[in-house]
Amino acid sequence: MGRRGSMQVVAATVVAATVVAVGAVITPVTATAEEDAGTAGIGHRHVRWQACDLAPPPYYTQEQWDALFTGIDCGKITVPVDYRSPRSGTMEITVTRRKASKPAERRGVLLLNPGGPGQEGVTMPKAFEDQGIADVYDLIGFSPRGVVYSGELSCDTPTTVTEDSRPPDELFAAITEDARRLERGCAAAGGEVRKHISTANTARDMDLLRAALGERKINYLGFSYGTYLGAVYGSLFPHRLDRSVLDSSMHPGWLYYEATKQQAVGATRNVEALAAWAAERDGTFGLGKTPEEVLRRFDALRGRLQANPVHLPDDPPGIEPIDGTVFDIVIGTSATYRPLWTETAELVRLLDSLADGAPVTPEAAEALALLVDHSETVLRPGSYQAVTCEADWPTDLNAYYEQMRIFREKYPYTAGAMAAAPSNCTFRSFTPPEKLVDLKRRGYPRGLVVQAEADPITPYEGGVVMAGELDDRLVTVTDEGGHGLYGRNACVTELVDAYLVRGTVPARGTTCAGQPRPDVPADGDATAAAPRTPVAEPLADRIRSVLDAYGPLRH
């Protein structure tokens, strides 16, 4: 999977055990609330459920895709393109459902959103069918407006500049022109519909879906950008939202340029943490005795790879040669996941030898291909280039260039300087029909915000601010870089299930422990056992075991 399409984005212990119960009082919605939110007077129809027959994306076989819809119903609802002029045109939203496993204990519907913006959610009910929430909720997935299966937007002009995580000044003008070209292509392909692909309108679609499902209220579990979507829904329809969980929350004040930049900041912090850990174990890894020495080792290797990229045998499809930018992406992403630190340190040594001319063995090629494939940036559909333009971006190009210079030097990992570069939204070709929604929690129960301390995709600060804005309860996952914790972290899963299923809100200051760092003794650790023997398991197999636990390591 190539990175060039878009580098811009984007053993647990509960410390406090005191809990309180969430009330289950149903408050009728007022006509004024619906009028203010823009859905009053729009007819609602029941969802007509049927067997799923959606075309699989190219990275699934038909057999794999069909397995994701076993026991799942599919349907559609019709929504206005423009809620201010509902008769001017409509679009269809694709919906999926898994019925509650225990109908006698059913407490309603739980809408799920994976984030993005631009990710489809139709596979989510299947993904959570083994969790406690599946017993008591009908799990509802949906592809938001403008996303595949729901009027997918596209941009008909590809990027043409080879992107570099540390581009020289001479490339800035070409990167800027590339962003202009992308906006022209998005405008040509999206037409008038594009300005209506927004978070607020997706929230309105969710409320029409609620009505079509015959429910007075929804419950909600959203991840990443889906946390912002959930907060917007609750602000527009406070009396239609019951329990809500925001997992890996966006910062409500970082929409969207600052959010993109902060991803490179967070990735660099994780590389610095890895360097400090490796320096304490120089006797094991030989990367340097101080964090500064380790980081200089990384930079030197990056420069050599940029000058002479490492090619994998037979050039595997979708895997680009490992140059300096690929190195920044892979190291920046791998450093995020503490359990992968041993393998990341070994990877650096492996690349060092390959940069010196050592042959790429089949074993080395397998390990490298795994990390490169799982670290690449996910290509963004046209809905991403629409939704992220709902907020204003800076227009001063010199301000972008100054930020790019800073990021090139200080925050070079993952997208690096490209995280600070102009985007298509710098040259937005439409005026948003409405202002961003003022976030507030007024009229629905206190929810949960779950946030990892070292998540670079949605940094920890975002969860703190979102929880404060909504007066939600914050659950902190310590020393953890993972993104999307429910179903992956046992402590988080238990807390979320207790809240969504039984209404139990964790106490203030509740924490869960992240995945542990590798059990590699520091140099001179007198409490350590005899020196470690070399790990016999192949590097690729060890990387794969971490990937199986975490899923794709993508930004």
Side-chain angles (χ1 to χ4, degrees):
M1 181 177 297
R3 73 176 182 276
R4 309 296 188 188
S6 172
M7 286 174 62
Q8 291 179 301
V9 183
V10 270
T13 302
V14 180
V15 171
T18 306
V19 295
V20 295
V22 173
V25 177
I26 303 297
T27 304
V29 70
T30 64
T32 301
E34 287 195 341
E35 288 169 3
D36 290 344
T39 58
I42 298 175
H44 307 309
R45 297 182 179 178
H46 294 294
V47 182
R48 295 184 179 179
W49 297 109
Q50 58 188 21
C52 296
D53 187 25
L54 302 174
Y59 41 87
Y60 281 100
T61 66
Q62 188 67 52
E63 183 179 8
Q64 291 171 329
W65 186 247
D66 290 344
L68 295 176
F69 294 95
T70 304
I72 305 296
D73 303 315
C74 282
K76 292 181 183 292
I77 63 168
T78 301
V79 301
V81 172
D82 181 359
Y83 277 89
R84 297 185 176 190
S85 179
R87 299 190 180 198
S88 62
T90 61
M91 60 197 310
E92 287 190 324
I93 304 299
T94 297
V95 186
T96 54
R97 175 186 68 178
R98 181 194 181 279
K99 289 185 176 181
S101 301
K102 299 179 179 178
E105 300 176 25
R106 182 184 181 277
R107 72 171 314 273
V109 296
L110 179 68
L111 269 62
L112 307 165
N113 183 271
Q119 291 188 26
E120 59 82 10
V122 295
T123 60
M124 292 193 77
K126 188 69 172 181
F128 292 109
E129 68 175 356
D130 294 329
Q131 304 298 335
I133 54 177
D135 288 339
V136 301
Y137 289 106
D138 290 354
L139 302 183
I140 306 296
F142 65 100
S143 274
R145 58 171 52 209
V147 180
V148 63
Y149 313 121
S150 296
E152 182 178 17
L153 286 189
S154 61
C155 296
D156 66 9
T157 303
T159 54
T160 58
V161 174
T162 297
E163 294 181 350
D164 189 331
S165 54
R166 310 185 194 192
D169 283 19
E170 306 85 75
L171 198 56
F172 288 0
I175 291 170
T176 300
E177 181 53 35
D178 200 44
R180 289 184 194 271
R181 188 180 300 111
L182 179 59
E183 177 60 15
R184 288 196 295 268
C186 292
E192 280 297 301
V193 171
R194 187 165 173 252
K195 66 183 179 183
H196 301 295
I197 305 299
S198 67
T199 305
N201 279 341
T202 298
R204 294 179 179 113
D205 296 343
M206 289 166 56
D207 200 57
L208 293 193
L209 173 56
R210 171 201 59 76
L213 292 170
E215 299 289 334
R216 295 186 54 151
K217 291 194 175 191
I218 67 165
N219 301 273
Y220 184 79
L221 171 58
F223 301 84
S224 197
Y225 162 78
T227 62
Y228 178 59
L229 173 60
V232 168
Y233 181 85
S235 299
L236 290 177
F237 302 98
H239 300 294
R240 295 302 194 188
L241 181 60
D242 188 7
R243 297 171 185 170
S244 59
V245 176
L246 310 181
D247 188 330
S248 305
S249 178
M250 288 188 66
H251 192 304
W254 290 352
L255 303 175
Y256 287 90
Y257 180 50
E258 190 62 30
T260 304
K261 291 196 299 179
Q262 288 296 325
Q263 292 183 350
V265 174
T268 300
R269 288 174 180 169
N270 283 317
V271 172
E272 292 168 350
L274 166 65
W277 180 84
E280 294 174 346
R281 293 157 180 80
D282 183 56
T284 300
F285 301 114
L287 296 179
K289 296 183 181 298
T290 67
E292 294 75 19
E293 286 183 7
V294 176
L295 291 172
R296 286 196 293 271
R297 176 80 171 266
F298 290 174
D299 283 344
L301 174 57
R302 194 264 183 200
R304 293 160 65 205
L305 292 170
Q306 187 71 357
N308 296 292
V310 169
H311 292 261
L312 301 187
D314 302 320
D315 292 324
I319 303 295
E320 299 184 34
I322 301 173
D323 61 8
T325 295
V326 172
F327 177 82
D328 282 343
I329 293 171
V330 171
I331 297 301
T333 307
S334 300
T336 294
Y337 301 91
R338 275 60 177 155
L340 203 58
W341 277 3
T342 293
E343 289 70 31
T344 304
E346 292 179 23
L347 176 76
V348 170
R349 296 186 62 174
L350 172 61
L351 285 171
D352 237 343
S353 66
L354 297 178
D356 283 340
V360 182
T361 65
E363 293 79 9
E366 183 181 8
L368 291 169
L370 271 173
L371 280 179
V372 172
D373 182 49
H374 282 266
S375 299
E376 293 287 13
T377 303
V378 178
L379 298 181
R380 306 293 184 181
S383 56
Y384 179 86
Q385 277 85 16
V387 173
T388 52
C389 291
E390 67 184 1
D392 294 335
W393 286 58
T395 56
D396 182 352
L397 292 178
N398 287 323
Y400 283 102
Y401 298 157
E402 183 58 33
Q403 287 292 297
M404 291 175 73
R405 294 184 185 101
I406 292 171
F407 274 65
R408 183 173 63 197
E409 299 301 320
K410 295 184 63 176
Y411 311 113
Y413 292 99
T414 60
M418 291 302 297
S423 84
N424 69 289
C425 296
T426 305
F427 309 103
R428 185 177 63 194
S429 55
F430 64 90
T431 300
E434 61 184 312
K435 295 180 180 179
L436 296 175
V437 174
D438 182 23
L439 300 187
K440 54 186 176 295
R441 183 176 67 83
R442 190 168 58 198
Y444 67 92
R446 172 176 285 124
L448 303 187
V449 174
V450 177
Q451 206 77 6
E453 282 186 328
D455 178 1
I457 303 175
T458 51
Y460 182 70
E461 296 90 335
V464 174
V465 173
M466 182 67 87
E469 290 279 330
L470 302 179
D471 193 25
D472 277 351
R473 197 54 50 84
L474 177 66
V475 175
T476 297
V477 186
T478 60
D479 195 30
E480 171 64 66
H483 182 68
L485 284 304
Y486 178 71
R488 292 180 174 179
N489 179 291
C491 170
V492 167
T493 302
E494 182 178 350
L495 290 171
V496 170
D497 282 346
Y499 166 74
L500 287 176
V501 176
R502 298 185 295 278
T504 303
V505 178
R508 294 186 183 277
T510 294
T511 65
C512 292
Q515 294 295 314
R517 299 182 178 196
D519 183 20
V520 180
D523 295 346
D525 185 350
T527 65
R532 286 165 53 95
T533 57
V535 178
E537 188 178 9
L539 179 59
D541 289 348
R542 287 182 277 135
I543 292 171
R544 190 175 290 107
S545 68
V546 175
L547 297 179
D548 288 345
Y550 270 107
L553 310 183
R554 293 188 175 122
H555 288 252

